């Protein structure tokens, strides 16, 4: 089970929009559900699979190679080892059986954000998903709602464009003057932005979001969360914050979110995305910014 | 062909910082990187950034600690520059919005780290590298610096004078992974290599799959010497099954190491009576392997790292991501049980020889970050000293490449007549390519003396790489990269690990030679030009062979025990003979080894070698 604690900042106010009323903390509920799900999955007895082989069904597509132009699934049987992840199994399949099997990966430790795939029907990082927690055969597909380049590789350009659209850089210009003087920041404020700073740009959230699938211009949860990180950081002045909120409350911004929580459910970094989006909506209302 | 003033190869902390500095100096900069910047391995750094920021600390103490930690193989001008510039660079990161952890008074937090006389490791939770990487990338986005991401750089475009010191680098040749197009990138002012570590030369490593020493190998084949390659740091606390690192922060906060008998062996067996768990990494790594080899290891493989006594609140506050790592990659819950750990390859102290301005002996070619050797880490890097190196020397390289003035460098580069040649050692096999490559294209610059203008040099380099790709893709049968790579990695871990013997290293050199021979028969099975990672990994494997060989060659000639390098035949630090750097030059495919004395003369003091005791 994940040991992550979801701290509710004490500065938090009651939710202002109808969807959020009533439920004490839907965020909390979702996260608990997510943890339960994980706990159940992990209770699959490891000895069931140990010493046996892992059955993978992997999506294949290559626009130029005959036989791969029509998407298909290839099956691989990989020897199981204790602690094996989906990424380990894919690497084994590639190195031992088919060197053309293509997928992004690098760090093997859930920090580079390269290997978000659609595994058994949900968005997960290959390197952070234990084989022992999955039903077999394990279906590995590229992230839905993104164009497939080849096999498990999707085109990330749209995702990057959205990330860049929120002016994702610190804009405070009025800095302390003394030599080697840092800006001061309250521990509490740092704590408040902490979860939002953990995003690894994996794109799982965006891929899981129905709204993003229907509205190509929707900023999407990751970009909004990136903006949240700056907007809630007390080191930036009020007017910068207001500028940020204006970017966010535009037609394809925060108001598109219908609090379906799919992003929050899949985020491998457990970022309370929906909660962050809701909080930004409330901020926009507080600031009397026009909304759609 | 693309053209820019400065081309930065690699977009980890060093590359991003270099690009920002070059941009600020007015240059038109482009970054060419095989991974999107935020995927770079800098993101994996956990512990922190050493910088003397607080009262009671000063840069001289930081320089002293670094020199001592380096076992007196760091060059004083580089070490002092690092210590002097780290505070300003760290504060710049804060001014750029990096979310550092905070004290009650709102200032950035610092913690103790191994080998430091003051708690000066500045951190952002246990994800300092992630925040550094993302903050730097934000600054690149802000400035609109052009990034060619998922472009794999295959070679340097370097002129061909017989003496590498006379050569000029005019750009790089790169391959667009997505489309398979090969292009020349012309650099009017300079190329900066910031390609990271070569950890994939070993099979148990904390380094990412992408850490394949590409920059090292490209510079080496262009005639730039690789320096002190034998010095590889093995981190004492990596997870046994994956190599994922548990930060030194755990021990910094008070984590304790136990053997299978529940003994706190760092003290009980006298490995480090003063500093215990916080002794330098090489000391702790050797202690762990000694425990295991003397039968006191857990399951004959690892030891235990226990942090339970720190309490849940403190653990979650300061070391939360350690809990996740142990849980996700080893299935251990650090709150209720000790975590299994063993040493793993972690960091390369050596690298591309540069001076303190980041310049190599080839005009217009720079290196910064882990791929470079300035050298600040000497025989052993202190935890928390790599991240400041990225920003301090990344910035200097970027600024200098863009034409900024940093003054004359004190550190020499390149082979000259005055250096000392190695001529005693007998090699079990002929190292280097030695004519093994099917054509003469095993060098970036062949010393033929053929003169060409910048465009000519670039065109020829593009042609060479296009031909190589054709050859690899058109071959229908043979050996695959994965087979060669795993054989190489295993030999390095078996023979060029924490404990090294002459016989073992020779064995490794023989395996490396076999890998080279097999590589002649390598082929790429994937026929596609779209996202062909088979081709990319085949290129990387060739680089790993060259880099692994320099590590083994350095390890073979240096018959002493200094820092991270231990030799069974001479288990003492031999200052009389070995206060010098090891350099390996490719010399058109026939490596030669030579030495340059270490510079212990600082700005206003000399660092007298003292015994390194913890
Ligand atoms: C797990 C871990 C924890 C660490 N913790 C700390 C710490 O707490 N404190 C500390 O000081 N240090 C730490 N270190 C060391 C430090 O993080 C690294 O030395 C440093 O981040 C390396 O940065 P870099 O910019 O040189 O390379 P990287 O961040 O590895 O970047 C390399 C870049 O080069 C590009 N590249 C490589 N080859 C090519 C090519 N052929 N063509 C195009 N692009 C290419 C890649 O795409 C990438 O962008 C840690 C290291 C590890 C592995
Ligand atoms: S918010 Fe979470 S799911 Fe979305 S890109 Fe970031 S880490 Fe991935
Ligand atoms: S490989 Fe980096 S996140 Fe999975």
């Amino acid at each position: 089970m994940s040991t992550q604690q979801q701290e509710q900042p004490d500065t938090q106010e009651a939710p202002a929009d109808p969807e959020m009323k009533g439920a004490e903390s839907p965020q909390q509920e979702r996260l608990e559900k997510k943890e339960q799900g994980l706990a159940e999955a992990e209770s699959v007895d490891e000895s069931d699979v140990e010493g046996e082989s892992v059955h993978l069904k992997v999506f294949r597509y290559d626009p130029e190679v005959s036989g791969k132009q029509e998407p298909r699934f290839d099956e691989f049987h990989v020897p199981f080892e204790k602690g094996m992840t989906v990424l380990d199994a894919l690497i084994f399949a590639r190195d031992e059986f088919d060197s053309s099997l293509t997928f992004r990966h690098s760090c093997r430790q859930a920090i580079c954000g390269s290997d978000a795939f659609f595994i058994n029907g949900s968005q997960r990082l290959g390197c952070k998903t234990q084989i022992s927690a999955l039903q077999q055969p394990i279906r590995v597909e590229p992230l839905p709602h993104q164009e497939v380049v080849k096999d498990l590789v999707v085109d990330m350009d749209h995702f990057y464009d959205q990330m860049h659209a929120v002016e994702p850089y610190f804009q405070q210009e009025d800095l302390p003057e003394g030599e080697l003087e840092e800006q001061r920041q309250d521990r509490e404020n740092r704590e408040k932005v902490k979860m939002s700073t953990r995003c690894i740009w994996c794109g799982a959230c965006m891929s899981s979001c129905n709204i993003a699938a229907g509205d190509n211009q929707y900023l999407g949860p990751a970009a909004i969360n990136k903006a949240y990180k700056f907007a809630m950081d007390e080191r930036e002045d009020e007017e910068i914050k207001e500028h940020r909120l204006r970017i966010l409350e535009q037609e394809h911004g925060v108001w598109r979110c219908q609090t379906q929580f799919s992003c929050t459910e899949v985020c491998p970094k457990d970022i309370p995305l929906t909660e962050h989006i809701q909080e930004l909506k409330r901020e926009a209302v507080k600031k009397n910014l026009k909304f759609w | 062909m693309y053209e820019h003033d400065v081309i930065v190869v690699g977009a980890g902390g060093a590359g991003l910082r270099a690009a920002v500095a070059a941009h600020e100096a007015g240059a038109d900069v482009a970054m060419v990187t095989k991974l999107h910047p935020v995927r770079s391995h800098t993101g994996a750094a956990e512990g922190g950034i050493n910088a003397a920021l607080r009262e009671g600390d000063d840069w001289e103490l930081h320089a002293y600690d670094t020199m001592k930690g380096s076992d007196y193989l760091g060059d004083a001008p580089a070490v002092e520059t690092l210590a002097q510039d780290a505070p300003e660079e760290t504060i710049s990161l804060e001014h750029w919005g990096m979310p550092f952890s905070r004290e009650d008074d709102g200032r950035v937090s610092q913690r103790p780290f191994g080998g430091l006389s003051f708690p000066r490791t500045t951190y952002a939770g246990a994800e300092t590298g992630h925040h550094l990487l993302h903050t730097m990338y934000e600054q690149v986005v802000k400035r609109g610096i052009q990034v060619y991401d998922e472009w794999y750089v295959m070679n340097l475009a370097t002129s061909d004078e017989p003496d590498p010191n006379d050569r000029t680098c005019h750009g790089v040749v790169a391959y667009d992974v997505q489309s398979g197009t090969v292009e020349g990138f012309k650099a009017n002012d300079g190329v900066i290599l910031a390609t990271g570590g070569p950890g994939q030369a070993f099979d148990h490593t904390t380094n990412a799959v992408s850490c394949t020493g590409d920059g090292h190998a490209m510079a080496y084949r262009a005639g730039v010497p690789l320096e002190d390659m034998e010095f590889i740091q093995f981190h004492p606390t990596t997870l046994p099954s994956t190599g994922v690192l548990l930060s030194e922060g755990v021990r910094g906060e008070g984590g304790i190491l136990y053997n299978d008998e529940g003994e706190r062996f760092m003290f009980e067996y006298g490995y480090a009576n003063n500093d215990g768990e916080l002794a330098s990494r090489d000391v702790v790594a050797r202690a762990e392997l000694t425990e295991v080899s003397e039968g006191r290891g857990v399951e004959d493989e690892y030891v235990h790292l226990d942090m339970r006594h720190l309490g849940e609140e403190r653990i979650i506050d300061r070391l939360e991501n350690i809990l996740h790592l142990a849980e996700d990659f080893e299935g251990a819950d650090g709150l209720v049980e000790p975590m299994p750990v063993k040493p793993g390859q972690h960091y390369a102290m050596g690298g591309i020889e540069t001076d303190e301005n980041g310049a190599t002996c080839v005009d217009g070619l720079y290196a910064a970050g882990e791929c470079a050797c300035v050298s600040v880490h000497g025989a052993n890097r202190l935890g928390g000293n790599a991240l400041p190196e990225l920003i301090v020397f990344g910035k200097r390289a970027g600024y200098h490449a863009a034409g900024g003035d940093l003054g004359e460098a004190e550190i020499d580069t390149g082979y000259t007549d005055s250096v000392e040649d190695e001529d005693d050692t007998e090699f079990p096999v002929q190292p280097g390519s030695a004519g093994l490559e099917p054509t003469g294209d095993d060098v970036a610059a062949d010393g033929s003396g053929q003169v060409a203008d910048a465009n000519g040099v670039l065109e020829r380099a593009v042609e060479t790489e296009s031909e190589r790709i054709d050859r690899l893709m058109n071959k229908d049968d043979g050996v695959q990269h994965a087979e060669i790579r795993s054989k190489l990695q295993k030999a390095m871990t078996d023979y060029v690990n924490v404990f090294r013997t002459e016989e073992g290293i020779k064995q490794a050199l023989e395996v490396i030679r076999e890998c080279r021979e097999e590589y002649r028969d390598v082929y790429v099975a994937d026929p596609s030009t779209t996202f062909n990672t088979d081709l990319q990994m085949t290129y990387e494997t060739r680089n790993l062979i060259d880099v692994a060989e320099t590590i083994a060659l350095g390890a073979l000639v240096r018959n002493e025990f200094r820092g991270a390098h231990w030799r069974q035949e001479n288990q003492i630090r031999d200052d009389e003979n070995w206060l010098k750097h090891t350099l390996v030059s490719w010399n058109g495919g026939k490596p030669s080894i030579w030495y340059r004395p270490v510079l212990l003369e600082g700005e206003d003091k000399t660092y007298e070698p003292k015994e390194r005791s913890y």
Side-chain angles (χ1 to χ4, degrees), chain A residues 4 62 64 99 104 150 187, chain B residues 102 150 526 529-530 534:
Chain A
Q4 185 114 5
D62 188 315
E64 353 160 19
S99 65
R104 291 192 182 96
K150 175 176 172 180
R187 281 190 149 184
Chain B
R102 298 286 167 165
E150 301 194 322
D526 187 349
T529 57
T530 305
D534 193 358

Side-chain angles (χ1 to χ4, degrees), chain B residues 533-580:
Chain B
T533 49
D534 193 358
L535 175 65
Q536 183 178 328
M537 292 185 82
T538 301
Y539 258 88
E540 290 168 343
T541 301
R542 170 170 175 253
N543 293 336
L544 284 171
I545 295 173
D546 286 343
V547 173
E549 189 172 72
T550 61
I551 296 170
L553 287 173
L556 181 63
V557 296
R558 187 177 290 271
N559 187 19
E560 66 156 347
F561 164 27
R562 182 180 301 273
H565 172 70
W566 181 95
R567 274 289 296 272
Q568 189 190 44
E569 297 79 10
N570 194 15
Q571 299 177 26
I572 51 154
R573 189 178 82 190
D574 182 355
D575 285 344
E576 204 163 312
N577 295 305
W578 287 102
L579 276 175
K580 59 191 183 189

Side-chain angles (χ1 to χ4, degrees), chain B residues 342-491:
Chain B
K342 75 175 203 184
Q345 192 284 345
H346 181 50
Y347 186 85
M349 271 71 75
I352 302 163
E353 185 204 41
T354 72
D355 64 24
E356 66 272 36
N357 298 335
T360 70
C361 66
V362 166
D363 201 31
L365 184 64
Y366 296 77
E370 189 170 338
C371 71
C373 181
V374 215
S375 97
V376 287
H377 310 301
N380 178 51
R381 174 181 73 100
L382 294 182
N385 258 355
L387 294 178
E389 178 190 16
L390 305 183
I391 49 181
V392 166
F393 293 100
K395 176 184 181 182
R396 291 175 74 89
Y399 180 74
H400 198 265
D405 183 11
L406 289 170
E408 187 83 27
E410 286 173 57
I411 297 172
D412 283 339
T413 55
Y415 179 89
T416 56
D417 291 342
S418 61
V419 303
E420 177 196 345
D421 287 306
E422 161 67 43
D423 40 26
D424 296 342
T425 310
E426 270 184 42
F427 301 106
V429 285
Q430 172 73 47
S433 85
L436 271 183
E437 293 259 330
T439 59
D441 62 2
D442 57 336
V443 285
D446 61 9
S448 64
Q450 247 181 34
V451 187
D453 64 357
N455 288 341
V457 169
L458 222 64
E459 273 158 29
R460 203 187 50 191
V462 170
E463 212 172 288
T464 308
E465 295 314 315
S466 302
E467 280 166 15
R468 193 195 311 276
I469 292 177
D470 285 347
R471 202 168 58 236
L472 291 169
M473 303 272 291
N474 290 337
K475 197 164 161 6
D476 300 325
D477 205 355
V479 194
Q480 296 203 326
H481 68 79
E483 203 180 307
I484 304 175
R485 192 186 280 215
S486 67
K487 180 171 173 174
L488 181 80
Q489 290 171 329
K490 186 170 180 312

Side-chain angles (χ1 to χ4, degrees), chain B residues 252-276:
Chain B
E253 296 290 345
I256 296 177
L257 290 167
Y258 294 107
N259 62 18
D260 198 32
E261 280 144 39
E263 295 165 312
R264 193 174 179 181
F265 57 87
M266 290 308 296
F267 290 105
E268 303 252 340
Y269 291 89
Y271 298 107
N273 285 330
N274 296 325
D275 295 359

Side-chain angles (χ1 to χ4, degrees), chain A residues 110 113 116 123 125 156 159 163 195-196 198-208 220-223 225-226 262-273, chain B residues 39 130:
Chain A
Q123 286 82 357
L125 293 180
M156 294 291 286
F159 177 82
M163 293 304 274
M195 294 308 289
S196 69
R198 296 202 170 152
C199 173
I200 54 171
W201 296 44
C202 70
C205 52
M206 186 85 143
S207 163
S208 76
N225 174 70
K226 183 88 176 167
S262 59
C263 55
T264 308
E265 269 163 27
V266 299
C267 175
K269 290 288 162 182
D270 293 341
I271 302 173
L273 293 161
Chain B
R39 319 272 174 232
H130 166 77

Side-chain angles (χ1 to χ4, degrees), chain A residues 10 78 82-83 127 149 192 194 202 214 224 230 243 250 259:
Chain A
D10 12 70
V78 168
K82 189 171 180 290
C127 63
V149 176
K192 182 174 178 63
K194 180 173 98 179
C202 70
I224 294 174
F230 293 106
H243 171 67
Q250 44 112 342
T259 51

